[in-house]
Amino acid sequence: CKALGVTLDGMVDGYAGKVKFCYVDIQEAPMTAQKFGVRSVPTVVVFKNGAPTGSLLGAAPRPKLEELINTAL
């Protein structure tokens, strides 16, 4: 979802040095999507030390995304 991408791109500077933002195209990496239970797009999965700590489905607003990220920090 382009709207979610714009929101996440706008958050990168605020989390510099603390969070790494990555995008995965589930059509190009279906095994990765399956491994993490991604069944709809967009899905945001937050990891800490290589393990998923939470996720959101759909184009969530920035405050909700920040809450999800901050719980993993």
Side-chain angles (χ1 to χ4, degrees), residues 9-70:
D9 287 344
M11 296 170 63
V12 171
D13 290 340
Y15 286 98
K18 296 183 271 184
V19 174
K20 181 177 181 180
F21 290 83
C22 302
Y23 297 90
V24 176
D25 183 332
I26 64 170
Q27 291 182 351
E28 292 183 18
M31 297 303 286
T32 301
Q34 182 179 12
K35 179 178 179 180
F36 297 107
V38 175
R39 292 192 170 90
S40 65
V41 177
T43 297
V44 175
V45 181
V46 175
F47 295 84
K48 183 172 186 173
N49 299 322
T53 62
S55 64
L56 287 172
L57 302 175
R62 184 177 178 138
K64 195 74 170 168
L65 293 165
E66 289 173 338
E67 179 182 334
L68 180 67
I69 292 167
N70 290 334

